[in-house]
Amino acid sequence: MATVAAGAVLGAFVVAALAVTEYLSGDTAEPFRQHLYPWIAWDIGGRTTLIAAAGLLLDPLACVMVLVITGVGFLIHLYSAGYMGHDAGFGRFFTYLNLFTFSMLLLVLADNFLLMFVGWELVGLCSYLLIGFWFERPSAASAGKKAFVVNRVGDWGMLVALFLIWSTYGTFQFFGQRTGALASAGVLDDPGRILTDGSVALAIALLLFVGATGKSAQVPLYVWLPDAMEGPTPVSALIHAATMVTAGVYMIARTHSLFLLAPESLVVIGTIGALTAVFAATIGLVQTDIKRVLAYSTVSQLGYMFLALGSGAFAAGIFHLMTHAFFKALLFLGAGSVIHALNDEQDLRRMGGLWRYLPVTGLTFIIGWLAIIGLPPFAGFFSKDLILAKTFERGLEEPWYFVLYGIGLLTVALTAFYMSRLVFLAFFGQYRGAMTAPGITPTQAAMAPEHEPAAAVPAGLSMGHNPITPSAASAPSAHDTHRSDGHDVRDAPGHGGRTGRPHESPPSMLIPLVVLALLSMVGGWVGIPAFISDAVTGGHATGTPFEQFLAPSVGGQEGAAATAGHALDVTTEWILTGASVGMAGLGVLVAAMLYLAGVPNPSSLAGALRGPYTWLLNKWYVDELYQALIAHPGARLASFLAAFDLGVVDGMVNGVARLARGTGGVLRQLQSGYVRGYAVTMLIGAFCVLAYWAFRT
Amino acid sequence: MQLTVPQLDFWAIAPVLAMTLTGCAVLVADLFAPPRRGHTFLALISLIGLAITAALSLAIWDYNQPAAFAGTVAADNFGQFFNLLFVLIVAVTVLLSHEQLERDEFHPGEYYTLLLFSAAGMMLMAGAGDLIMVFLGLELLSISLYILAGFSRRRLESEEASIKYLLLGSFATGFLLYGIALVYGSTGSTNLGCVAQALGNRSQFASAACPTALGASAGVPAMLLAGIGLLIVGLGFKAAVAPFHLWTPDVYEGSPTAVTAYMSVAAKAAAFAAILRVFLIAFPSLVSDWSGMLAVIAIMTMVVGNTVAIAQQNIKRLLAYSSIAHAGYILVAVVAATSLGVQSVLFYTLAYTLMNLGAFAVVILLGRRGEENVMLADYAGIGYRQPFLGLAMTVFMLSLAGIPPTAGFFGKFYIFSAAMQAGQYGLAVLGILASVISVYYYLRVIYLMYMVEPSRDLGAPAPAPWATAAAGIAVVGVVLLGLFPQVILDWTLASIGFMG
């Protein structure tokens, strides 16, 4: 079963690689297009117009996406074969996973908005199905529902944007046909040709962005992603880190020429991106669940991508998308390996010293850590640095971007801190989990935190007495108590509880880790900055190799115009690079002091900073805010509407139904069964037909 | 008086000839058919003949001979489209009938022959260039159907259906003939092209010897309008539109189910082919006179069909009223009278054919020896006992209700788009409202199949590969047409050259 599923994705990867090679050996200025058949074509003003084709489009942008989706996707399929091996829903799992891969490929290969939207919705469906994969757990079921509902909000924006595009351009095709019966222009062939009115362009751009905030978990619609960690860990790696959540980034890069028509929209995107980055990073500082830390980190890194898009550096955004896919998939899979090794333990406070038990996982995880915090020469360094440089460059034109740059730089330090905290707590120090705990069931262990040996070591900020509120000391999180009974409980009874020494994972899980670790090391080298490569080769490159590669897709003349004339000089570039590496080093240093040296003691520090700490632990109370502002009034509105519906609407509908039934009853009287009656009716009908003309004039 | 022998262009009528000859061949072969496997033998001959007919229709696609046989036959793509449609209908009906013939011990020779002859009549109607030819085709179709309706001789209902159909059909024929006579009286010709020329329009369908045109000052004579009105009555009867529909439920209920399936799609398709021919070739200049009339009839038909269907307990009667409602939808597109309107008539006729034949195939498959099982209550729990049958019926009901992505959805979509394009907003809105009502009774069937416990055991189904094949073809067709509507839409576009 797993062979078929993983083999299919491997096959897709091979085919994709062949197709990309084939395409790149030709002229890459023109996208390759495969029209299967006109899906919807309509007669407008006497000539047939293609509204949407069943067609695919391969250009450098799609090349990157396809390779990431099938490549990382295959590794995760392989990993899942080991990780999900004991699960009763093994077949169902791979069915969903394959459906997801198909849908994601459809999304990035579609050559029109409508087909892309089909993929967009399908990945949403797969996400829902996989978050709620263990649907017998209420928390998983409700997390799936939350993801779906929040995504609907984004989809609303997306749909309205599609309506606007349709009414403005009369087609959904990205690019037009030059020849053939259906020759016409597409939306993205110089979109300014129709949009003389800037407000329509702004509306389309912002509405598309609303769609992107839903799918890509940006403020204010990010709330579903942390909860999505209820799904199996490979799902978190594939869908909620590497691929699906980046769909919004892809979509904006694909349609960037619409956004360039309304530069204000880019400011909005950049601001939201920067806010998301710093906001999620602060929450990540204090989380104790290993997957939650990574989830907030994903939200934060997605924020970086949007910051890049907002700075007009679309290639930089896609670059970070790619490197992030490598190292975040690596980190999630590594976390999965840890969880697997500890028999479904996810709490950082009960880890520690795992380095000794899980050497491969530990080593690869550390590579992922170095990649995400942006230490050269790991992948994350190049992409993050490019984004920050581009933002700074944009700031020369528009000072507001200096503020965004500052936020981005601050986030570098925060990222380095929370990731280092995670690594130090999990892999360094002493193991704080129970080696043998025969009498303690998982539930009891969670209910009685004082039994834990955690108190003996400088554990997380929140060890021992968790100060979420003084009265709720035993619960790690006020509205998050479901996490405490140890999740990813796949088949807890058969698994024998969390006893025994941590054990390294099987090879099917380790191979993907190793491959992803290699990619996290070298994957960024395709984006080596021009000022560095110039220093080595003495040449004069315009942009990184990756940017040049993507230029036909996202760096057209408009893209170049957005950044032209403000190329930074080499000294500035070095200073910027130094600043971001310095911030990352600072973050690591602080984390090392707290969690390796224990100076100052994290718990006492948490006690001293109780206010901000509680605030962050409760995730800025955003869930509560939404509950109070939207869900609660929503529920009250719903109950009002339910009453209205029952009393008024249903009354009307039933009235109409009664009317229809009554009409039917009356008309049935005619149906006497007697031929003479029928004949007379016909005769009357014929007279009426004749009378119609007689009396008309 | 000098008689000229018209030029005999046998290519123009090749499909009709093939159909007729197949009918004759079945009659003869019946004498030599092996007594045990006679059904299968004759069915195969019919299917071969149908394949030849289809091949001939395709061979003369784009042949475009609008005035063959002195203007009585128009061999154009419009005709070929319907010829192919009729071949499809008859072929599926042959498959549908196979097990029922065996089960109810019908005599197969006459059955297949009558089917094929009626199809020849329909082909003459769709390819008619002359009102007399419309009449001849209609009679050939009707007389065959009268007999087929009474084919289940042992069942009293079947006899009753046959007699009722005959009496009322003859009555309607009277109107049609009188209408033709009045048109002839006022324009001097029964040739559709000549009638158009008499009204001052040039027409490619005009035969060589047209009488002189009416004077421009003559206006529209009342006699002509009366004739058009009576043509509406006569053809409307065949299409089963209100208020000329009353025969439909009784006849559909009484006839053997396979015949009902056939009648419900074939006669309707033929009637609409004739209506389009007559009204768009002969009377396009009077569109403002007849479209209002047809609009009123369309509204009545949709309202009557959909509301009365709600109260039905018998699936055959339910489908009868549903077929009345669908005639109303098609009439909406006729009223639009634009090229998109005609295209959507062709598309809808095909979609309706597939989904209605499919629904009746399920009805047949649910029947048992000696028991038709046609009450709605018999459908309770079918979704679980015979999952494939339930699934197929679900597809057909959704398509009839017009829910995407089925053929029925696109059919309705094109029809109501055409109506709006033609400025018939009121008609489109009423049509959509009427189809909303219809969702109720279609979904009720699905509800019964999946949500209600069966009240009694119907017994194990006898194997019925032929009818199952028919249902399968219909399911595939309904889904494919919903997924790739463009293919058929291109065909329909190529078929409306007659509009000039």
Side-chain angles (χ1 to χ4, degrees):
Chain A
M1 206 157 13
T3 322
V4 175
V9 182
L10 179 64
F13 176 67
V14 172
V15 172
L18 289 175
V20 168
T21 322
E22 173 82 21
Y23 168 67
L24 294 183
S25 62
D27 174 23
T28 56
E30 275 291 305
F32 171 76
R33 305 203 291 174
Q34 178 70 52
H35 261 207
L36 301 179
Y37 57 91
W39 185 20
I40 303 173
W42 196 244
D43 195 358
I44 295 173
R47 58 187 292 273
T48 310
T49 311
L50 182 64
I51 291 158
L56 303 180
L57 173 93
L58 190 72
D59 66 348
L61 175 61
C63 285
V64 173
M65 295 303 294
V66 167
L67 289 180
V68 168
I69 292 162
T70 53
V72 176
F74 165 65
L75 292 173
I76 293 173
H77 273 75
L78 185 62
Y79 178 94
S80 309
Y83 190 83
M84 300 296 288
H86 312 290
D87 199 280
F90 194 64
R92 186 164 57 95
F93 180 79
F94 277 103
T95 310
Y96 291 163
L97 219 53
N98 270 10
L99 178 63
F100 168 77
T101 311
F102 160 78
S103 317
M104 192 70 203
L105 287 173
L106 186 68
L107 196 165
V108 300
L109 285 173
D111 84 333
N112 59 68
F113 282 97
L114 213 52
L115 199 59
M116 179 176 77
F117 189 66
V118 172
W120 185 273
E121 287 299 300
L122 276 177
V123 293
L125 170 71
C126 295
S127 165
Y128 164 77
L129 290 173
L130 283 163
I131 294 170
F133 183 72
W134 289 309
F135 54 82
E136 63 276 15
R137 289 204 326 246
S139 57
S142 73
K145 203 159 55 182
K146 183 169 176 182
F148 202 75
V149 170
V150 173
N151 265 296
R152 299 318 297 170
V153 180
D155 291 345
W156 163 81
M158 186 83 179
L159 266 177
V160 179
L162 291 194
F163 298 158
L164 270 177
I165 287 170
W166 157 248
S167 66
T168 313
Y169 291 95
T171 181
F172 282 123
Q173 289 297 112
F174 287 145
F175 302 105
Q177 304 262 73
R178 293 222 174 73
T179 53
L182 296 173
S184 61
V187 176
L188 302 178
D189 297 318
D190 186 18
R193 73 184 189 282
I194 285 176
L195 284 177
T196 45
D197 184 3
S199 60
V200 177
L202 185 63
I204 291 179
L206 288 180
L207 285 164
L208 282 176
F209 179 57
V210 169
T213 54
K215 191 66 75 194
S216 294
Q218 295 298 290
V219 169
L221 298 182
Y222 71 94
V223 289
W224 64 272
L225 186 56
D227 285 24
M229 297 303 128
E230 287 289 341
T233 306
V235 170
S236 312
L238 178 62
I239 300 185
H240 305 120
T243 53
M244 186 195 81
V245 288
T246 62
V249 181
Y250 161 79
M251 188 264 289
I252 291 180
R254 167 64 72 208
T255 59
H256 67 282
S257 46
L258 282 172
F259 286 84
L260 289 174
L261 288 178
E264 308 91 322
S265 68
L266 289 179
V267 180
V268 174
I269 294 175
T271 309
I272 293 281
L275 281 180
T276 308
V278 69
F279 180 73
T282 55
I283 300 176
L285 295 178
V286 299
Q287 297 300 310
T288 55
D289 179 308
I290 186 167
K291 283 181 73 181
R292 292 240 154 183
V293 178
L294 292 177
Y296 281 106
S297 156
T298 302
V299 176
S300 169
Q301 298 295 313
L302 287 167
Y304 270 120
M305 296 176 210
F306 280 92
L307 176 59
L309 299 175
S311 309
F314 303 105
I318 296 296
F319 186 30
H320 197 57
L321 184 162
M322 183 181 83
T323 57
H324 176 255
F326 297 151
F327 61 68
K328 189 51 70 62
L330 169 62
L331 291 171
F332 263 116
L333 295 186
S337 181
V338 168
I339 295 166
H340 191 80
L342 302 182
N343 287 331
D344 303 327
E345 176 59 73
Q346 291 184 213
D347 195 328
L348 283 172
R349 288 166 293 171
R350 269 169 260 167
M351 297 180 184
L354 296 177
W355 165 254
R356 282 186 292 280
Y357 307 103
L358 313 170
V360 182
T361 306
L363 183 66
T364 52
F365 202 94
I366 283 168
I367 291 171
W369 165 52
L370 294 175
I372 192 175
I373 64 175
L375 230 56
F378 295 91
F381 162 74
F382 295 100
S383 52
K384 201 178 285 183
D385 203 51
L386 185 63
I387 291 174
L388 291 174
K390 290 288 179 188
T391 311
F392 188 83
E393 201 175 305
R394 196 87 169 80
L396 299 177
E397 235 169 285
E398 214 160 325
W400 172 244
Y401 280 87
F402 281 133
V403 178
L404 300 186
Y405 170 78
I407 297 176
L409 198 60
L410 172 66
T411 309
V412 171
L414 295 176
T415 309
F417 177 82
Y418 69 70
M419 283 310 299
S420 308
R421 167 175 172 268
L422 190 160
V423 169
F424 297 154
L425 282 179
F427 289 97
F428 292 83
Q430 291 293 315
Y431 181 53
R432 298 178 296 278
M435 281 294 190
T436 50
I440 298 177
T441 67
T443 330
Q444 284 172 326
M447 296 300 283
E450 66 272 20
H451 285 182
E452 292 172 25
V457 276
L461 284 168
S462 48
M463 58 169 230
H465 51 283
N466 187 320
I468 191 146
T469 52
S471 60
S474 61
S477 156
H479 50 92
D480 210 16
T481 47
H482 59 266
R483 305 288 325 167
S484 61
D485 57 17
H487 271 304
D488 267 20
V489 189
R490 282 159 299 155
D491 46 355
H495 238 251
R498 55 183 62 151
T499 58
R501 295 164 66 83
H503 52 274
E504 184 61 289
S505 302
S508 69
M509 289 168 65
L510 294 180
I511 294 168
L513 289 180
V514 173
V515 177
L516 285 170
L518 287 175
L519 285 171
S520 302
M521 276 199 280
V522 303
W525 296 358
V526 296
I528 204 153
F531 71 97
I532 295 179
S533 62
D534 288 350
V536 177
T537 62
H540 192 76
T542 50
T544 66
F546 191 81
E547 286 174 288
Q548 288 166 14
F549 173 72
L550 277 187
S553 297
V554 297
Q557 61 269 36
E558 324 96 313
T563 52
H566 283 286
L568 299 171
D569 60 57
V570 176
T571 327
T572 323
E573 295 251 27
W574 279 112
I575 293 172
L576 292 181
T577 306
S580 57
V581 174
M583 288 302 269
L586 183 69
V588 177
L589 199 69
V590 173
M593 273 168 55
L594 277 165
Y595 296 103
L596 289 183
V599 189
N601 187 314
S603 339
S604 55
L605 184 66
L609 298 173
R610 168 158 300 203
Y613 178 71
T614 315
W615 181 259
L616 288 183
L617 198 63
N618 282 306
K619 302 172 283 190
W620 295 54
Y621 295 97
V622 169
D623 278 323
E624 285 76 2
L625 185 73
Y626 285 3
Q627 189 71 31
L629 279 188
I630 298 166
H632 198 63
R636 280 178 40 192
L637 182 68
S639 58
F640 166 72
L641 286 179
F644 183 79
D645 194 51
L646 274 178
V648 181
V649 179
D650 272 14
M652 275 163 60
V653 171
N654 289 338
V656 171
R658 261 197 294 279
L659 182 71
R661 241 176 221 282
T663 318
V666 171
L667 290 170
R668 255 178 105 188
Q669 304 299 312
L670 287 173
Q671 205 73 45
S672 58
Y674 291 113
V675 174
R676 54 176 186 266
Y678 296 176
V680 167
T681 314
M682 275 175 69
L683 198 61
I684 296 172
F687 274 121
C688 292
V689 169
L690 296 180
Y692 170 79
W693 279 306
F695 291 103
R696 200 175 47 143
T697 51
Chain B
M1 187 178 177
Q2 194 182 353
L3 280 176
T4 36
V5 178
Q7 208 185 344
L8 301 181
D9 181 356
F10 285 106
W11 273 116
I13 57 164
V16 190
L17 282 180
M19 190 67 100
T20 316
L21 289 175
T22 311
C24 298
V26 170
L27 259 192
V28 175
D30 188 28
L31 298 175
F32 306 103
R36 304 277 302 261
R37 307 295 304 157
H39 293 104
T40 315
F41 179 63
L42 296 176
L44 285 176
I45 294 182
S46 309
L47 289 176
I48 292 168
L50 288 169
I52 295 172
T53 310
L56 286 171
S57 287
L58 284 174
I60 59 170
W61 185 263
D62 281 339
Y63 180 69
N64 277 339
Q65 183 52 260
F69 287 91
T72 52
V73 173
D76 54 4
N77 287 355
F78 179 82
Q80 305 319 323
F81 184 93
F82 273 101
N83 286 351
L84 291 168
L85 181 68
F86 297 145
V87 166
L88 173 73
I89 294 175
V90 179
V92 174
T93 308
V94 167
L95 293 177
L96 270 184
S97 322
H98 194 261
E99 280 90 7
Q100 202 184 16
L101 285 179
E102 231 160 311
R103 196 165 68 199
D104 297 348
E105 293 168 6
F106 289 177
H107 200 261
E110 290 85 344
Y111 183 83
Y112 291 125
T113 307
L114 286 169
L115 269 186
L116 294 163
F117 281 168
S118 69
M122 298 193 296
M123 292 165 83
L124 287 176
M125 284 170 83
D130 195 295
L131 287 170
I132 298 297
M133 189 56 77
V134 172
F135 175 73
L136 281 178
L138 187 88
E139 281 307 283
L140 184 49
L141 165 67
S142 303
I143 292 169
S144 309
L145 286 182
Y146 300 152
I147 306 171
L148 284 171
F151 221 81
S152 192
R153 272 174 300 176
R154 292 183 201 150
R155 280 177 47 240
L156 211 54
E157 301 95 318
S158 183
E159 299 280 298
E160 182 190 335
S162 182
I163 291 291
K164 273 186 180 167
Y165 198 19
L166 171 67
L167 288 174
L168 293 169
S170 316
F171 193 47
T173 303
F175 283 104
L176 181 71
L177 261 184
Y178 198 11
I180 293 174
L182 289 178
V183 171
Y184 178 75
S186 51
T187 62
S189 177
T190 54
N191 178 282
L192 297 177
C194 291
V195 171
Q197 289 199 353
L199 297 171
N201 303 315
R202 289 213 50 74
S203 170
Q204 53 171 332
F205 294 91
S207 70
C210 280
T212 48
L214 298 177
S217 60
V220 183
M223 202 208 299
L224 179 60
L225 286 182
I228 294 175
L230 295 181
L231 287 180
I232 291 179
V233 176
L235 292 172
F237 175 85
K238 270 288 150 228
V241 296
F244 316 112
H245 67 284
L246 288 166
W247 59 276
T248 321
D250 292 9
V251 174
Y252 281 15
E253 187 189 359
S255 303
T257 310
V259 174
T260 308
Y262 179 67
M263 277 197 283
S264 70
V265 295
K268 212 169 286 267
F272 277 106
I275 287 174
L276 286 178
R277 277 276 192 219
V278 170
F279 284 86
L280 294 181
I281 293 177
F283 311 121
S285 54
L286 302 180
V287 65
S288 57
D289 288 301
W290 52 259
S291 70
M293 182 75 248
L294 289 184
V296 174
I297 294 181
I299 294 168
M300 283 177 65
T301 308
M302 291 187 292
V303 169
V304 168
N306 283 320
T307 51
V308 184
I310 294 176
Q312 301 307 315
Q313 296 302 326
N314 178 313
I315 187 88
K316 281 167 83 177
R317 283 187 87 86
L318 186 145
L319 286 172
Y321 282 106
S322 131
S323 83
I324 293 169
H326 285 272
Y329 303 139
I330 299 178
L331 212 50
V332 168
V334 175
V335 172
T338 55
S339 62
L340 188 60
V342 178
Q343 269 184 276
S344 51
V345 173
L346 300 191
F347 187 94
Y348 202 87
T349 316
L350 174 60
Y352 170 73
T353 295
L354 288 168
M355 57 206 187
N356 222 41
L357 281 179
F360 274 112
V362 174
V363 174
I364 289 176
L365 283 168
L366 211 61
R368 303 283 185 267
R369 182 179 285 276
E371 270 187 282
E372 283 205 287
N373 294 330
V374 288
M375 299 315 287
L376 279 182
D378 297 330
Y379 284 75
I382 290 303
Y384 296 103
R385 294 176 157 206
Q386 292 179 269
F388 289 107
L389 207 59
L391 183 68
M393 195 60 163
T394 306
V395 171
F396 299 134
M397 289 296 130
L398 291 179
S399 182
L400 284 167
I403 289 168
T406 55
F409 166 73
F410 278 100
K412 283 210 179 89
F413 175 72
Y414 292 137
I415 282 182
F416 295 129
S417 308
M420 297 223 219
Q421 196 195 42
Q424 301 275 5
Y425 296 104
L427 198 53
V429 168
L430 280 170
I432 292 166
L433 284 179
S435 67
V436 167
I437 297 180
S438 76
V439 172
Y440 170 78
Y441 57 85
Y442 292 129
L443 288 190
R444 202 172 87 193
V445 176
I446 299 178
Y447 166 80
L448 283 170
M449 290 194 301
Y450 289 99
M451 309 283 183
V452 177
E453 288 290 316
S455 53
R456 66 193 178 92
D457 194 6
L458 298 183
W466 292 62
T468 309
I473 291 172
V475 169
V476 171
V478 165
V479 173
L480 282 185
L481 212 54
L483 292 178
F484 308 103
Q486 199 63 42
V487 181
I488 296 299
L489 214 59
D490 290 343
W491 276 52
T492 61
L493 187 64
S495 304
I496 58 166
F498 77 95
M499 295 187 68

